[in-house]
Amino acid sequence: MQTYYFDHSASTPPYESVIRTVAELMAQHYANPSALHRAGTEAHKLIERAREAVAGLLGAAAGEVIFTSGGTESNNLAIKGILGAGGRKPKHLITTAIEHSSVYGTARQLESEGVRVTFVAPNAQGRIEAADIETAIGPDTALVSVMHVNNETGVVQPVEEIGRLLRAHPKVRLHVDGVQALGKVQLDWAASGVDLYSASAHKFRGPRGAGFLLVREGIRLTPQLTGGGQESDARSGTHNLPGIVGMAQALRLALESLPERRARMYALRSRLIGGIKTIPELVLNVPEEERLVSPQIVNLSYPGMRPEVLLHMLEQQGILISTQSACSSKSLKPSRVLMAMGLGEARSTGSIRISFGDEHVEADIDILTERLRTAVAKLKLLERN
């Protein structure tokens, strides 16, 4: 049976050319980029070329790119790096109730350590209102952290509007978790007003274990990993040369085809939503309007049904999806994101996430819809018995 992978928001299949590049670099450039011999110098040059490539693709300066191991580290470095800078006086963090666990959990940890944290709730569509962020700002506010695209619903947050708003508060920094956005949603780094932007390579068809944090020039972070002082003392650790170069290549491929890919994925999303609406037992948890969402994610619920039951039934039919986000999918608790949207416990507990990518075509969406219909019919029959 053919397998259909609809879990791109958890991880994407790498570009074949990126796989070849990573393999070649592992075989030929294994020297430590910090070493002083010729092989180390050559490796270091490759790192710096990748840094310039990433910066150029996003309209940033090379010195604004800090390489990390991925989204979780980038988010932790951004938040703790800002709140740890400038002394130990407790500060105020504004974030939202719908952030990825690497931001939400970090905020909860800092709250337990004395940082004042405000969690802003979304509206019923899952979108944060910029005015609510402004209302929460106080004299001790040091950082606002808002994701660009929600990892469960795909709702795009008004990060550039928040950036413009924060110009009236020059001491407040803006961090954006862009892990689900990069390669799907446009970002004008220079004009955005964003100070720190997190990214992870395996979300845009790059290798796992590589990511970066864009840090606006002039901002100093308290390092969370100390040691050899790599990455301008912001992040120590031997560089992952194959991952970094492969990430730069994947980012170029993702961005150069972005307009065409977005249009195609929006069409697939519309087709999938149309199919879901013909299955009465299923309820959409996301807005239908394209202007509100990134194209690759659809979230739905079978209220009253444990989501893993539907997930495993679909897996038996060759369909791979997820429940909530990959980092929370083993939890049987209601989705924190959907609960914050006011969707109630039944929908929030019974939700599944479908996310697709470049390899999918209309026929794949039709197969997914029919197998959803078959799975739901079987579950209804089981419920009656």
Side-chain angles (χ1 to χ4, degrees), residues 171-190:
K171 292 184 179 180
V172 181
R173 301 300 185 190
L174 174 59
H175 165 244
V176 172
D177 173 2
V179 168
Q180 293 290 349
L182 199 57
K184 290 96 176 174
V185 176
Q186 294 281 6
L187 171 73
D188 184 349
W189 168 251

Side-chain angles (χ1 to χ4, degrees), residues 17-199:
S17 60
V18 169
I19 294 172
R20 291 194 296 271
T21 295
V22 169
E24 182 179 323
L25 288 165
M26 291 181 70
Q28 298 182 11
H29 295 278
Y30 43 79
N32 191 318
S34 297
L36 296 179
H37 49 64
R38 184 171 62 186
T41 300
E42 290 175 354
H44 178 74
K45 287 179 180 177
L46 290 172
I47 293 287
E48 294 312 308
R49 285 178 195 163
R51 193 187 313 278
E52 291 171 2
V54 169
L57 288 165
L58 297 173
E64 294 179 314
V65 179
I66 296 175
F67 290 127
T68 69
S69 63
T72 292
E73 186 190 346
S74 293
N75 286 337
N76 273 260
L77 175 58
I79 296 169
K80 295 178 179 178
I82 289 292
L83 293 173
R88 296 188 176 275
K89 183 179 179 181
K91 300 181 179 72
H92 179 215
L93 165 65
I94 299 172
T95 187
T96 83
I98 58 172
E99 297 300 306
H100 184 270
S101 56
S102 62
V103 169
Y104 188 83
T106 298
R108 286 298 189 193
Q109 179 189 21
L110 291 170
E111 188 176 43
S112 72
E113 296 171 359
V115 173
R116 187 167 71 91
V117 181
T118 299
F119 294 94
V120 175
N123 62 23
Q125 292 182 310
R127 184 174 167 90
I128 300 298
E129 300 288 353
D132 292 340
I133 297 290
E134 185 170 33
T135 299
I137 295 173
D140 58 342
T141 304
L143 180 67
V144 173
S145 182
V146 180
M147 68 195 331
H148 199 168
V149 170
N150 186 267
N151 55 300
E152 291 189 37
T153 65
V155 173
V156 180
Q157 304 304 328
V159 295
E160 294 183 348
E161 182 182 351
I162 294 170
R164 290 191 295 270
L165 178 156
L166 290 180
R167 289 172 186 162
H169 305 273
K171 292 184 179 180
V172 181
R173 301 300 185 190
L174 174 59
H175 165 244
V176 172
D177 173 2
V179 168
Q180 293 290 349
L182 199 57
K184 290 96 176 174
V185 176
Q186 294 281 6
L187 171 73
D188 184 349
W189 168 251
S192 66
V194 177
D195 295 300
L196 307 107
Y197 195 86
S198 301

Side-chain angles (χ1 to χ4, degrees), residues 224-271:
Q224 303 306 300
L225 297 176
T226 55
Q230 293 91 342
E231 292 305 286
S232 303
D233 289 328
R235 192 268 187 188
S236 294
T238 301
H239 288 99
N240 172 11
L241 172 61
I244 288 170
V245 175
M247 173 173 63
Q249 181 180 356
L251 183 61
R252 175 181 59 79
L253 293 170
L255 293 182
E256 70 183 11
S257 61
L258 180 56
E260 180 273 332
R261 288 172 49 249
R262 274 173 57 84
R264 200 170 64 80
M265 283 198 287
Y266 273 127
L268 294 178
R269 181 182 187 272
S270 177
R271 192 177 188 91

